[in-house]
Structure formats: C-alpha cells, structure tokens
Amino acid sequence: MAIVSVKEILEHAWGHKYGVPAINVFNYETVKWAIEAAEEERLPIIIQFYPGFAEHIALKYVADFAVDMAKKARVPVAVHLDHSPSYEIAVGGIRDGFPSVMVDGSVLPYEENVELTRAVVRVAEVFGVDVEAELGHVGSGSSLDDIVNEKNYTSIEDAVDFTERTGCGSLAIAVGNAHGVYIREPRLDFDRIRAIRSAVKVPLVLHGCSDIPDDQLKESVNLGLSKFNIATEYDRAFYTAIAARADKTEQKGSFFRLQEEAAKDIRAFVAGKLRLLNPNGYAL
Ligand SMILES: [Zn+2]
C-alpha cells in the first residue's frame, strides 16, 4: 500500500467515525513498531516528528525512513511534521521531505497567526503538502491555567474565519487539553468540541492526548475529532518497556535483544490506542 496523505486519512476517519492516533516518534524503532502495530490492527496511523528534537535527529533522516516505511506498509500510513513555530521550520520540513506539516502560530496575535499559516499553506500547495494549523493555544499540562482558562480555548467564530482565510487542511483546537503530564485530570469541553465540529469544514486535531481518560477520548471520536496526538505516553511506554525487561543481573547484556523484547510492549501500547480510538469498530 502506498503512503497516504494526512488529509485523506483524516477525511476518511471523519467519514467513518473513528480517530487516528498520531504517534510522536524520535528514532527508527519508534516509527517501525508503531507501523507494525497498525498493520496488526488493520487500521491507519499517522507518524509525526517534533522539530524541537532536530538536534537529536535531523528532520531529513526521519522524513526519509518514515516515508519509505509508510510506502511499504500494508495499511495507510501518513507522515507529518509536528509543531513548527516558524515559517522557516515549516517550509524546511517540506524541503526535507515531510508530506504534511503543522505550522503553529497559536502564541501569536490572531491576525499574525492567519498571516503565518496562510504563507505556509501557499508554499505547501505548490508541493502538494498538507498543513495543520492551531487556533486557541494548547499549553502545558503542568499549568492549571493552561488547562482550565477558557481564554486559551478555541473560539468557534474565529475557527470558522481562520480556516476559511488560511486554507489550512486541518485545525488543532484547545478545549481543555494540554501537552505533557497533566497537573490534574483534564476535563474536555465537549460543548465547544460539538460547536466547532459543526461550524468548521476541515478535520479537527486534539493535541496532548496522553493521559486523557479513555471515556473522554471515545466521546471526542464520537463528536467527530479525527487526529489524536500521542507523545508523552509513547515516550513513557518505551521507558517502561526497557526498564521492565532489563535484567540488572545479566553480565553480558545485549541492547539489541532487549529492544526486540521491548518491541512487544510498544506494539501492544499502540494497538491499545488504535482500538480505543475506534469505538465503532471500523475495519479496513
Ligand atoms: Zn501538540
């Protein structure tokens, strides 16, 4: 199966009432095992990379091997560049081979966010690349204000205006979600999700899905959210798998063997998220 665009996957998911996990990767294995889980579950998946990790691994390396693995996968797999805070980083992602990029102008004044997003969309359209944008601001789960202050949430009227003027392919919304570890259990604003979903014409994205309770994620799928970003929990799943399977009494340990063992736990983690976000039992 050839690589499929983020746009196609999200529109299909929206139409068929399931959500797609967008898994944040940081090396070859994080890509490989997520795709293997999607193949086992027979469901589409999105692989994404946060450009803030570019010092750890160059964007081009990730784009090269992730796109190649996506092309060879037996299920639809899309590859995406996560939070690009500037024009240069977003367009640099296009140059480096990402078939989809996020431009995040959510900390900018509204008109500047429109301008930045529109500028990236114009370049992306030339290359046939999808663009995700953000409106409202998805902050940090460590800040109570970021989670509960509705001033950070996405305005319904602005979301309509923003998507029409920028031409973005999907929109990340702030509805009580946040990045990283939550200081307290999040409570998503379902009325706002419902209102934005009925007002806006593009697929919607929920960032900060790690540790959002399962029932709230299922409800979000049923209300029509399409892309669910999972970074913190995936990173933690790696740590937990390696820590649990490492044998400290072993004298001549093999990291290769250890990671092959850990892969089972990682695939199980991703499979669990694929099933959770597919509450209506969609099958390819
Ligand atoms: Zn995010």
Side-chain angles (χ1 to χ4, degrees):
M1 173 141 351
I3 186 169
V4 177
S5 74
V6 167
K7 182 178 190 303
E8 283 173 272
I9 287 184
L10 294 185
E11 286 180 350
H12 185 269
W14 186 10
H16 291 81
K17 299 187 186 317
Y18 67 95
V20 184
I23 303 289
N24 275 76
V25 300
F26 44 86
N27 61 15
Y28 174 84
E29 287 75 19
T30 48
V31 180
K32 182 169 186 277
W33 299 339
I35 292 177
E36 286 173 355
E39 289 179 328
E40 283 167 19
E41 293 298 312
R42 306 288 311 148
L43 285 167
I45 198 164
I46 296 169
I47 298 300
Q48 65 184 15
F49 178 66
Y50 174 59
F53 291 163
E55 282 191 14
H56 169 70
I57 180 168
L59 269 61
K60 188 168 189 324
Y61 293 162
V62 182
D64 281 355
F65 61 70
V67 167
D68 192 56
M69 281 191 263
K71 281 180 185 163
K72 291 169 181 155
R74 299 192 300 276
V75 291
V77 176
V79 178
H80 173 76
L81 184 66
D82 200 11
H83 292 278
S84 304
S86 70
Y87 177 86
E88 288 74 15
I89 293 175
V91 174
I94 296 171
R95 175 201 61 211
D96 286 342
F98 280 89
S100 174
V101 297
M102 176 189 192
V103 56
D104 180 4
S106 66
V107 294
L108 300 172
Y110 180 77
E111 285 299 327
E112 289 178 35
N113 189 3
V114 170
E115 202 178 311
L116 171 64
T117 303
R118 181 66 203 141
V120 172
V121 168
R122 287 186 66 187
V123 176
E125 281 174 348
V126 173
F127 293 96
V129 163
D130 299 322
V131 176
E132 175 184 329
E134 179 168 318
L135 188 64
H137 179 60
V138 179
S140 165
S142 61
S143 157
L144 189 61
D145 188 66
D146 281 4
I147 307 171
V148 302
N149 189 342
E150 294 193 9
K151 280 188 187 156
N152 299 316
Y153 290 12
T154 306
S155 139
I156 296 132
E157 297 73 33
D158 286 353
V160 174
D161 180 70
F162 184 89
T163 49
E164 285 175 358
R165 285 172 63 199
T166 63
C168 65
S170 60
L171 185 69
I173 56 173
V175 288
N177 50 315
H179 296 108
V181 176
Y182 286 91
I183 195 168
R184 71 135 216 234
E185 189 178 285
R187 288 172 210 143
L188 299 181
D189 183 345
F190 291 123
D191 289 340
R192 191 178 299 260
I193 291 175
R194 204 175 281 115
I196 297 171
R197 182 58 291 164
S198 64
V200 167
K201 296 192 176 73
V202 299
L204 298 174
V205 182
L206 192 67
H207 284 236
C209 293
S210 298
D211 301 328
I212 292 179
D214 288 0
D215 58 335
Q216 292 191 42
L217 288 180
K218 277 188 212 167
E219 180 67 6
S220 301
V221 173
N222 285 326
L223 291 176
L225 297 196
S226 304
K227 176 172 178 274
F228 294 78
N229 289 8
I230 298 164
T232 302
E233 264 191 283
Y234 193 49
D235 187 23
R236 188 190 303 147
F238 267 75
Y239 184 92
T240 307
I242 296 284
R245 290 179 179 272
D247 180 354
K248 287 182 182 158
T249 64
E250 202 173 3
Q251 292 303 306
K252 294 178 179 172
S254 158
F255 184 71
F256 180 77
R257 195 173 65 235
L258 174 59
Q259 69 169 11
E260 289 302 298
E261 284 296 309
K264 297 170 191 166
D265 299 349
I266 303 303
R267 284 190 291 263
F269 169 83
V270 176
K273 292 297 179 190
L274 286 157
R275 279 184 229 136
L276 171 66
L277 297 172
N278 184 27
N280 305 304
Y282 172 75
L284 277 174

